[in-house]
Amino acid sequence: MTDKEHKVYNNYFFNESAYDYHDGGYIPLEVSDAPESKLNIPEVLKPDKETDTDIWYTVEAQPGETQILPGKKTKTWGYNQSLLGKTIIYESGKNYHVTLKNTLPELTTFHWHGLDVPGPYVDGGCHAPVFPGKPSEINFKVDQPAATLWLHAHPCPLTGWDVWHGLAAPVIVKDQEEAKLPLPRNYGVDDIPVILQDRTFDENNQWNYDKDYDPDGTEGKTALINGTVNPYFDVTTQKVRLRFLDGSNRREWRLHLSDDLVMTQVASDGGILPEPVYMTKLMITCAERAEVILDFGKYKPGDEVTLYSDDTPILKFKIHAFAPDNTEIPDQLTKIDYPEVDPSAPVHQVVMSGTDEEVEINGKKFGMMRIDDRQELGKTEYWDITNTNDCCGGMIHPYHTHGGQFKVISRNGKAPYPNEHGYKDTIGVNAGETVRVKMRFNYTGIFMYHCHIIEHEDGGMMAQMQVWTKDDPHKKYKLMDMKTLLDALAEERHCLPDQLVIKSMESYKKMGMDMC
């Protein structure tokens, strides 16, 4: 099949009436007057040790300063570097031993978003704190398809605070099936992560999360791509693979290229799509990933192609000489063989409601010690994810579940969007819509599920479930309670617990609730 025969989609799929720019607190992107900078490509994290079957890593959350704009450096946090993190490579089928170090001034957690691992401690949600100067080690086997995942902090109710400071890093899973596909995979040359974030800089080039905080999601006016302002990328190959990650606290990114250059999406959150999807417009919501191939074959050295979000340029591609590349992307990339649902199994209900401080799931705010749902290990069951916001006064909620990947079945009873037929762990749910997915958990534990507008999850639009076995259906786990958390933070911040400033806790206070 030739390119001309492929159906090309020219819309963003989602319901425009609920886009984030309709929200009263929306902050439009502005083009910075900073000079162009070469796009930062995160280094690959080197293993401490490796054998044929096992690999050891050390991942350190650390404070630092980063030269983002001319003038003063910005105080930032990162993994194994001052901002964001080095790219972590996992190979499916191998065992990993990861030492988690924290040299920040306060506790954090290490959440492996999209990685299929046990909960709650390996998964790294709010019940797996790593305290300053007290390393911990997790061990797990990677057993899932090749995909673009990510690592970010998840210390509720401070997830927004930690991610805003810079704690987000790309994670790439490789496997033998993906390696056989004719896709670019020379990391840093024709295969690059593109982490989409936004920040507002003050007159001293610093970020002020508490000042910029919005309970409906914190946004900044400057696009930050891989930690770079006004970035450009030197194109030296005809085809380039972009691994998009919406690493923003709130912002949706509506992506398109100059000349309406076609993007060929080949993968989503959990890996390769069954078939490539050709589009000129791509919208991804918070925490979603999308891998696309760009073919620059019609351009010549000296040309430039610009990536936009809405009407704002965010990344420039500068074309250099390259060798011709006549490889074609197959019409069939992989087969998605998700287990069937037992007709007698219950249908789980997740109702996301409210905006601002009033956000809830199933009429409740998150409770640290409360188990909201249960599913048996190895069983495949339907989950109906509903967004009760009305279409004109509401917003799109990106729903995420820890503990593995799901398959999207329908949107309001109709087929999912064309690029949603692969494995997913995050799904944007339109206002007034119910998305049905089927989910199977491969490991036991306590797992969180929530809206991934980070201030929404911190403000209570989150719940947790237990995956159980018949041998031990009510296994007990040591969960982080609110008093222990606040006492630790108060000690680290050198104040009394009632003097802590945690903006997201205002959502609980307004509703007369707590996180216990």
Side-chain angles (χ1 to χ4, degrees):
M1 181 178 290
T2 66
D3 287 346
K4 292 182 179 179
E5 294 174 318
H6 292 128
K7 178 177 177 58
V8 177
Y9 295 92
N10 296 302
N11 63 72
Y12 292 115
F13 300 135
F14 288 89
N15 183 345
E16 190 276 341
S17 67
Y19 285 179
D20 56 355
Y21 55 61
H22 289 293
D23 182 75
Y26 176 74
I27 297 176
L29 289 173
E30 298 177 7
V31 179
S32 170
D33 59 5
E36 287 185 349
S37 296
K38 190 170 184 177
L39 178 69
N40 172 59
I41 308 295
E43 295 179 23
V44 173
L45 182 64
K46 294 180 180 179
D48 302 328
K49 182 175 68 170
E50 57 184 313
T51 67
D52 290 342
T53 59
D54 291 68
I55 296 179
W56 286 258
Y57 280 122
T58 297
V59 179
E60 178 180 350
Q62 63 184 62
E65 291 185 324
T66 308
Q67 191 75 63
I68 303 175
L69 297 176
K72 292 184 178 180
K73 292 183 178 181
T74 306
K75 293 182 176 163
T76 55
W77 292 355
Y79 296 111
N80 300 89
Q81 58 185 34
S82 66
L83 175 61
L84 301 178
K86 295 185 179 181
T87 298
I88 302 169
I89 306 291
Y90 290 138
E91 294 184 43
S92 189
K94 292 196 174 184
N95 303 303
Y96 288 88
H97 313 273
V98 183
T99 299
L100 306 174
K101 295 180 65 177
N102 178 8
T103 53
L104 300 171
E106 60 189 50
L107 67 86
T108 188
T109 77
F110 296 71
H111 170 49
W112 304 95
H113 186 122
L115 195 63
D116 194 356
V117 290
Y121 313 123
V122 177
D123 172 71
C126 66
H127 301 300
V130 179
F131 296 91
K134 297 180 180 178
S136 65
E137 183 172 303
I138 54 174
N139 302 283
F140 55 90
K141 182 176 182 178
V142 174
D143 185 15
Q144 64 188 94
T148 300
L149 314 178
W150 63 306
L151 166 66
H152 66 81
H154 209 312
C156 310
L158 290 167
T159 302
W161 169 272
D162 276 23
V163 174
W164 190 262
H165 277 76
L167 291 179
V171 176
I172 296 175
V173 175
K174 296 184 175 182
D175 72 3
Q176 294 181 358
E177 181 181 1
E178 185 276 339
K180 296 176 183 177
L181 292 172
L183 302 176
R185 59 177 60 82
N186 185 358
Y187 182 85
V189 177
D190 60 11
D191 182 356
I192 60 173
V194 181
I195 304 169
L196 304 164
Q197 296 180 314
D198 53 336
R199 298 288 186 274
T200 294
F201 295 82
D202 68 14
E203 64 277 7
N204 294 312
N205 291 344
Q206 304 307 308
W207 303 331
N208 189 330
Y209 179 74
D210 286 346
K211 179 182 177 182
D212 295 333
Y213 176 83
D214 185 328
D216 250 352
T218 303
E219 294 180 316
K221 65 181 182 181
T222 301
L224 200 66
I225 313 301
N226 290 2
T228 315
V229 173
N230 290 345
Y232 68 89
F233 177 75
D234 290 315
V235 175
T236 58
T237 59
Q238 180 177 327
K239 296 178 182 177
V240 175
R241 179 183 192 169
L242 305 179
R243 298 175 182 261
F244 286 124
L245 157 64
D246 185 342
S248 305
N249 286 43
R250 166 68 183 100
R251 188 176 300 276
E252 300 154 6
W253 297 81
R254 282 169 289 275
L255 305 173
H256 60 97
L257 291 142
S258 50
D259 300 335
D260 281 335
L261 181 64
V262 171
M263 297 175 276
T264 304
Q265 186 172 348
V266 295
S268 58
D269 304 338
I272 298 297
L273 293 170
E275 300 174 353
V277 180
Y278 298 83
M279 59 186 72
T280 59
K281 296 180 178 180
L282 168 65
M283 174 169 146
I284 57 175
T285 62
C286 296
E288 285 190 296
R289 284 87 68 209
E291 296 181 31
V292 305
I293 309 298
L294 303 184
D295 188 338
F296 294 102
K298 68 179 182 180
Y299 297 97
K300 64 183 185 301
D303 288 345
E304 293 183 348
V305 178
T306 302
L307 176 69
Y308 293 83
S309 181
D310 293 326
D311 296 326
T312 305
I314 61 172
L315 174 58
K316 186 178 293 183
F317 296 92
K318 296 187 176 184
I319 311 300
H320 297 262
F322 50 72
D325 182 351
N326 296 318
T327 59
E328 293 187 3
I329 298 174
D331 292 337
Q332 184 74 34
L333 296 172
T334 190
K335 182 179 180 183
I336 303 296
D337 188 18
Y338 209 96
E340 293 300 319
V341 172
D342 183 339
S344 64
V347 177
H348 302 261
Q349 301 294 329
V350 178
V351 178
M352 299 184 291
S353 62
T355 56
D356 293 309
E357 292 92 351
E358 298 181 352
V359 293
E360 297 175 320
I361 281 186
N362 293 346
K364 299 177 182 178
K365 285 189 177 295
F366 177 61
M368 298 272 281
M369 309 301 289
R370 188 183 70 234
I371 304 301
D372 299 280
D373 207 337
R374 290 164 55 81
Q375 183 166 323
E376 186 177 353
L377 178 69
K379 294 291 184 70
T380 305
E381 297 177 359
Y382 288 124
W383 288 66
D384 282 354
I385 320 301
T386 300
N387 176 356
T388 61
N389 294 160
D390 64 74
C391 66
C392 299
M395 58 197 306
I396 296 168
H397 291 298
Y399 170 83
H400 168 56
T401 185
H402 295 216
Q405 302 287 331
F406 53 73
K407 187 175 191 305
V408 184
I409 302 302
S410 62
R411 288 181 173 271
N412 275 353
K414 298 180 181 179
Y417 298 144
N419 61 342
E420 295 177 338
H421 293 277
Y423 294 113
K424 294 279 290 173
D425 56 56
T426 306
I427 183 77
V429 184
N430 289 296
E433 184 177 48
T434 295
V435 174
R436 170 164 284 195
V437 305
K438 59 180 180 178
M439 181 73 190
R440 179 179 187 268
F441 292 91
N442 299 310
Y443 295 97
T444 58
I446 306 293
F447 296 102
M448 306 157 81
Y449 53 98
H450 53 84
C451 175
H452 217 290
I453 294 173
I454 301 183
E455 285 69 31
H456 280 183
E457 65 179 88
D458 277 346
M461 190 181 276
M462 182 159 62
Q464 57 190 350
M465 65 165 303
Q466 180 164 2
V467 178
W468 57 278
T469 65
K470 289 186 172 64
D471 292 340
D472 193 0
H474 297 284
K475 182 177 179 179
K476 298 298 182 184
Y477 296 87
K478 184 178 180 180
L479 303 182
M480 167 64 81
D481 65 273
M482 198 60 191
K483 184 179 185 306
T484 301
L485 172 67
L486 294 181
D487 286 349
L489 283 170
E491 181 178 352
E492 292 160 355
R493 295 187 178 185
H494 308 292
C495 66
L496 297 175
D498 62 2
Q499 296 174 322
L500 285 167
V501 177
I502 302 176
K503 299 293 287 187
S504 61
M505 296 300 291
E506 295 173 6
S507 296
Y508 288 84
K509 292 176 182 177
K510 181 176 180 178
M511 301 288 286
M513 302 177 182
D514 57 39
M515 289 184 66
C516 298

